[in-house]
Amino acid sequence: MAENQNNQTRQEQLQLLNSALDSGHLIPVRNLLEELHSADIAHLLESTPPRVRNVIWQLLDKEREGDVLQHLNDEIRQNFIENMQPQELANALADLDTDDVVDILGDLSHNVSNQVLRLLDEQNRALIEHALTYPEDTAGGLMNIDTIMIRPRVSVEVVLRYLRIRGSMPPNTDHLYVVNSRDVLIGSVPISAILTCDPDTSITQIVDEEMFTIPADMEDTEVAQIFERHDLVSAPVLDEEGRLLGRITIDDVVDVIREEADHSLMSMAGLDELEDTFGPIMVTARKRAIWLGINLLTVILAALVIGLFESTIGKVTLLAVLLPIVPSMGGIAGTQTLTLVIRGMSLGHISDGNQSYLLKKELAVSIINGIIWAVTISTLVYAFSYYKESGINHLHLAITIGGAMLFNLVTGVLSGASIPLILKKLNIDPAIAGGVVLTTVTDVAGFFALLGLATYFFG
Amino acid sequence: MAENQNNQTRQEQLQLLNSALDSGHLIPVRNLLEELHSADIAHLLESTPPRVRNVIWQLLDKEREGDVLQHLNDEIRQNFIENMQPQELANALADLDTDDVVDILGDLSHNVSNQVLRLLDEQNRALIEHALTYPEDTAGGLMNIDTIMIRPRVSVEVVLRYLRIRGSMPPNTDHLYVVNSRDVLIGSVPISAILTCDPDTSITQIVDEEMFTIPADMEDTEVAQIFERHDLVSAPVLDEEGRLLGRITIDDVVDVIREEADHSLMSMAGLDELEDTFGPIMVTARKRAIWLGINLLTVILAALVIGLFESTIGKVTLLAVLLPIVPSMGGIAGTQTLTLVIRGMSLGHISDGNQSYLLKKELAVSIINGIIWAVTISTLVYAFSYYKESGINHLHLAITIGGAMLFNLVTGVLSGASIPLILKKLNIDPAIAGGVVLTTVTDVAGFFALLGLATYFFG
């Protein structure tokens, strides 16, 4: 029950902590920290400015450092680890699961990670060195090696006795794995079956040979899709010969799902998914500057297109007023399609077999919307030009903006659908580059269409 | 092992299905469907155009309809359900877990859902009617009622005997719940403890009274945060008196995490998170049109601002060329901050205690970037104006665009940080409305700053 109260009063705790920190009374802060779970401390660190972060970290029990590190966002963790001695880090990591140690060491320089490895005890070191050979974003990099293996020709009774001698089970163990003498996986037995079966039952009678298995080199996002679709809590990881290497558990998969979803959202704004909300000003400013610089280049390109038609604008200054409308609408329509396609790709919905349907459907949608909004804007502009007595041919102006609108909505949507597919073929992340390429296309095409038509009529 | 092969050849199966469907040979399609898991069939349906979808649905065994429905995206499910008779739907739902039935019935009209309810057997009906009283987006709406309850004063041996008589356990059961005679939750016992303890151990010795508990009215996103942070597989749901109502399992929480993350991404492009990638053209076009219409209003507002300064542009047509630059940069800088804040809010990182730090930090970042890009664009424009012999005061033009750039980057970033906080206070979803409000602000402010300064110098 106590835990629940902890959750409900998080806001209060945060306020207590802040006021204690502000007043400089550190003993109540330390007491508050002792009451919190490591995961909550990690969340607290992620929610505080860098100055306060360091104070909290200093007040933390040395023994809890590893556990808190394991729950921290990579970027913030990196900052703390950089200030730790190899011995201190090795102590902090000593009690963690192999997969968590691998996750932390994988982010360090080869040099530092080797120093830390040398300080771990021998058995741990061998296991971790082996696990570090798998890329971080594969099933091998995600797996833990704490599987419970049993043989097929024993009874449930024997397994129960073995488990009682063992005295504990790794977290999130929902299956025991049945292997042969060469460690090749034969099947799995849900622990619920061990609990509900008659003790005389033989394992061969209850083994499930149809379970989901994960090859060690499978990409972590594909692993996440399998877990998500089939509601798995854990799954065995096999090498090419079908030997059991370890298992992946849902808690690590949830992190993959969260990171991947964050990646799409954050990348489309040119941000890193690990971006620290409360990060240091200079680091943040530098990262943002790069994205703004790229955008400046694309918008200068668009400005140069307008520059080509400066004399037309000199004749019809009303065109300057209408300038933002067409590129904006094309950009919005394109972004909708782009987002839909990027989401569809990350859910595994889009394949070679259905791309052409998708393109045709989006084309049809864009023509419908293109016509609706071309007619609307033409009517509005005709009325406005008439009302203002602008002295130019109202109908020609209406055709100019309506034509440009239809053209650019179709261009935007077709670009939004095809850019991510093309980028993916080129091995460029569509979530990062897609938006920039798209708005460049819709800006340039929009200005060209509007001012080109205007030049034809009025130039 | 067979399952793994299924995963690896999904692409092939999809191609086989497509060619079988194209050729009109439906028997191989039916055979292929029989080999697939229900979750995979749901994924297949989500990945195919509506015409093919209906063919696949017709070919599906009636008995599997419920299981496939349960895994389908809400929007696509709705389409199938609308064409089903109440009796057919009741049959399909008969074998599902209560929480899944509630999830499906919750989306139907009151009338249809009552018709279906009347056709379910009595016991199921009572349970489902009770569960339907909780809002869908709360812990109560997410929970299942298949808990295993035990009493404190029994031994592990007794629990084992009870479980063997029971014969099976609900999926994802990792804890048994210890309750008193009024069903008030005392604590939980991990089933790993039941397996590893001496059978003579009393439940009171191994009960964990500090487990996480969830009140029935907690929001589902908050539930997801607790599961994610503390790596839970299941958690008990309690009423206000502490009585055990049911439990929430990780598979349903993963769906909440996925939907919430999708919501942020899709909403920022004005899309519904359940948007069907391959949905019917007219439905899609109508939904998109609304968003484009809202955008048209905002960009017309921006155009009207330009209209106020038409005479200045008439004097200096180079201003028309420079028009897109300032609003674009302000919009990009603001979107970065907006995205960061929306992500931070959905992760629970942003609270009243740290908002002022966040605003100060973002202000500092925007001033740094404002100065960098103001100087850059001023220099470029000065050089361009000089090179073109534009005949206007180069320095004044450079000051105009540089000043507007600095002003609009700061405006954009401050708006990006404050708009979501304000919208949330007004109970408006920042992910949906944030982007529109932001770009309206940056467009209007950008044009005002640029053309206002220009009018001061050249007007």
Side-chain angles (χ1 to χ4, degrees), chain A residues 292 295-296 299, chain B residues 302 305 322-337 362-363 365-375 377 399-417 419 437-453:
Chain A
L292 287 166
N295 181 63
L296 186 63
V299 75
Chain B
V305 172
L322 302 180
L323 269 183
I325 297 174
V326 170
S328 164
M329 291 290 277
I332 291 284
T335 303
Q336 291 202 309
T337 307
E362 290 293 325
L363 177 64
V365 169
S366 72
I367 291 174
I368 294 171
N369 269 311
I371 292 171
I372 293 173
W373 299 110
V375 170
I377 194 69
I399 292 173
T400 298
I401 190 144
M405 179 73 93
L406 174 58
F407 172 77
N408 207 31
L409 280 187
V410 174
T411 306
V413 167
L414 286 187
S415 308
I419 287 169
V437 178
L438 174 73
T439 50
T440 308
V441 170
T442 51
D443 279 2
V444 168
F447 289 133
F448 248 117
L450 181 78
L451 298 173
L453 276 172

Side-chain angles (χ1 to χ4, degrees), chain B residues 237-273:
Chain B
V237 179
L238 307 184
D239 69 9
E240 282 162 16
E241 276 86 42
R243 281 185 303 239
L244 183 65
L245 297 173
R247 64 186 185 114
I248 294 176
T249 50
I250 182 71
D251 51 323
D252 296 314
V253 172
V254 165
D255 294 341
V256 173
I257 293 174
R258 166 66 74 189
E259 275 191 22
E260 203 214 348
D262 269 5
H263 174 73
S264 299
L265 175 70
M266 301 288 274
S267 298
M268 287 190 77
L271 298 167
D272 190 313
E273 67 266 27

Side-chain angles (χ1 to χ4, degrees), chain B residues 121-164:
Chain B
D121 72 66
E122 212 158 308
Q123 197 202 349
N124 253 330
R125 183 169 55 214
L127 292 174
I128 290 164
E129 274 177 340
H130 178 72
L132 277 168
T133 60
Y134 297 102
E136 205 187 345
D137 58 353
T138 63
L142 209 60
M143 77 181 176
N144 212 335
I145 44 168
D146 55 2
T147 52
I148 302 185
M149 297 189 231
I150 56 177
R151 288 299 165 84
R153 281 175 208 291
V154 297
S155 68
V156 167
E157 178 67 41
V158 171
V159 173
L160 276 171
R161 258 186 289 148
Y162 165 66
L163 291 175
R164 282 176 196 144

Side-chain angles (χ1 to χ4, degrees), chain B residues 6-74:
Chain B
N6 270 350
N7 288 317
Q8 290 178 321
T9 59
R10 171 187 309 284
Q11 193 77 12
E12 281 168 48
Q13 284 177 322
L14 208 67
Q15 278 164 3
L16 269 175
L17 259 173
N18 276 328
S19 57
L21 283 165
D22 283 343
S23 67
H25 292 117
L26 299 182
I27 292 164
V29 177
R30 192 193 295 267
N31 293 342
L32 274 167
L33 288 179
E34 265 169 27
E35 285 172 26
L36 287 176
H37 276 257
S38 301
D40 287 325
I41 294 176
H43 188 258
L44 179 69
L45 288 167
E46 288 170 0
S47 309
T48 45
R51 186 186 57 84
V52 185
R53 240 174 230 170
N54 290 328
V55 176
I56 295 176
W57 184 251
Q58 299 298 332
L59 291 174
L60 201 63
D61 262 351
K62 288 280 169 221
E63 289 153 36
R64 299 187 66 183
E65 283 183 351
D67 215 25
V68 172
L69 282 178
Q70 159 199 353
H71 287 100
L72 267 183
N73 168 321
D74 289 17

